[in-house]
Amino acid sequence: MARHRMRISRRVLLATAAVATGAFLAPVAVQAASADRAGSEQNPVRALEKAAHPLRSTEPGKNTADLRALGSMIGDAKVVGLGEATHGSHEFFAMKERVFRYLVEEKGFTTFALEMSWSAGVQIDDYLQTGKGDARKIAKETLADSPWEREEFVSLIEWMRDYNSRHPERTVHFMGDDLNAPTMDGAFFGRVTDYVQQHHPDALPKLNELYTGLRPINNFLDYLSKPLAERQQLAAKAQEALELVSSQKGSGDASAWAEQNARSIAQTAKFLTINPEDSDSVATSQRFRDEVMAQNVAWWQQRTGQKVLLSAHNNHVAYTASTPEMYPKTQGSFLRDTMGKNYLPIGFTFNQGSFLSKDTALGGDWKKFTVDAAKPGSNENTLDQVRYRDFYLDLRNAPAPARNWLSAARPMLNIGTLWPTEPRDAALGKAYDVLIHLHEVREADNLKP
């Protein structure tokens, strides 16, 4: 058992840590491939300034006149991906609430989707719709040990609940679009079995049989210590359970949600068939994870008809990741395949500042780390020369010199749940439709007791 755990920790540590925290995890100590190209190209700063719109604040509750141009850039998109260059900076999280409020009030958006487990998102949305419980307690239960266990997300949840109490005819929703990690408890399985018991009782014994051995998963790592063949067999049973639920004749929301919850269980079980002996397992599993997140967002949007703000790391919302060896096809790429121009990704960059991350892949505490000003030749260094401290721009319609600069790959810092990491080459114009640049960020606020 101990040896098996060691093999897992070496080969699937990165993938497991990312999913267990519901987060993006950058690979360690991989050097950027590009050299400083700044001197060999026309200075693009003036062209970038022509396209830039100054951002007056990242804090929610402020006047939103400075976001009108952003609203025009978003246009009629049904899903907007809003990234983050770290998993632990206040300004990224605060800006997400600010943008979501604006999109709800001015553009008809009603769903905030987060890179976190589907089952946890269901719990938060139950609170938003009913008001039963306490926002802080719900956040502590559902966001524990994740990058989102922060005051900024309590603020978002509280605003969403307040909005619903004032607008019962048009409520906002919260969804988690990720795999069910680090646990998949019996209560979530009950959302499927209870529906079947009530509407299709004859199918319940078979369903319970299929979920035996899988229900519940209390800890990802303990589950991964099971032999691969056993995990593959359980995944096959979870898929059979999904097919059983799907085959029952039902209509309306209850049937659709039971099927989607069964799908989420099957997705998670399939992900957990990671083969620790396969050197390609990390990339394969992460590709599947991004595909799942895209499928869940698309299902929600198509099922509800609601416009969605999707919150995730830059390397998930982007069309292409800066770490393709770990994220060969992104959630943003899958959504583009499914939705075309109805999906629009917005990336974040920053010049300097602090963030929360970890210095160990599994376990450990969230700690404050700080980076100095971006180095010459990087994307961030050039962007920070624009005369506005904070700004955003439409990469699709920038002047030609700016588009040429944006189309070339240069070092860029994307920080996940593990620090240190090195800048990686990224062509901003190929990854995003819109970009927000911030001069300086600080660490996010840990959740208060």
Side-chain angles (χ1 to χ4, degrees), residues 22-241:
F24 164 80
L25 183 65
V28 183
V30 182
Q31 299 294 329
S34 66
D36 183 349
R37 303 181 181 88
S40 63
E41 298 178 355
Q42 178 183 355
N43 190 326
V45 173
R46 182 171 296 180
L48 290 168
E49 285 182 344
K50 290 181 179 179
H53 296 266
L55 190 63
R56 294 177 181 172
S57 176
T58 58
E59 297 301 313
K62 306 290 184 180
N63 185 297
T64 59
D66 59 326
L67 296 182
R68 290 173 186 164
L70 181 64
S72 297
M73 295 173 191
I74 289 170
D76 295 325
K78 295 178 180 179
V79 175
V80 172
L82 184 53
E84 56 203 37
T86 81
H87 265 328
S89 294
H90 168 79
E91 286 76 9
F92 297 145
F93 295 166
M95 187 64 181
K96 292 188 180 196
E97 180 180 345
R98 186 173 189 234
V99 170
F100 183 61
R101 289 193 193 190
Y102 172 79
L103 293 178
V104 168
E105 295 167 347
E106 301 295 336
K107 299 285 289 183
F109 280 62
T110 52
T111 297
F112 186 93
L114 182 60
E115 179 194 348
M116 66 177 290
S117 75
W118 174 270
S119 56
V122 170
Q123 287 181 258
I124 294 174
D125 196 57
D126 283 348
Y127 164 72
L128 294 180
Q129 304 313 309
T130 66
K132 295 178 180 179
D134 173 77
R136 186 169 297 278
K137 184 178 179 181
I138 294 289
K140 199 165 188 64
E141 291 175 355
T142 56
L143 307 178
D145 299 323
S146 79
W148 332 123
E149 192 183 8
R150 308 288 176 248
E151 283 296 318
E152 292 85 356
F153 281 92
V154 174
S155 174
L156 171 66
I157 294 169
E158 288 178 338
W159 179 84
M160 293 176 73
R161 177 56 205 157
D162 180 67
Y163 181 92
N164 285 353
S165 67
R166 292 182 287 108
H167 300 87
E169 76 289 350
R170 180 181 176 271
T171 59
V172 293
H173 293 266
F174 193 107
M175 73 165 290
D177 62 20
D178 209 341
L179 300 160
N180 294 300
T183 65
M184 189 160 60
D185 63 20
F188 183 65
F189 282 89
R191 290 180 180 268
V192 181
T193 57
D194 290 353
Y195 165 81
V196 171
Q197 182 178 29
Q198 182 177 355
H199 297 278
H200 310 285
D202 291 345
L204 185 61
K206 179 63 174 178
L207 183 62
N208 283 330
E209 176 188 336
L210 292 171
Y211 281 154
T212 299
L214 183 65
R215 173 179 55 184
I217 296 177
N218 294 319
N219 184 286
F220 255 37
L221 286 181
D222 288 344
Y223 187 86
L224 284 171
S225 70
K226 295 177 183 288
L228 175 60
E230 181 181 351
R231 287 182 278 124
Q232 290 173 332
Q233 184 180 41
L234 290 170
K237 288 184 176 181
Q239 178 62 32
E240 189 178 346

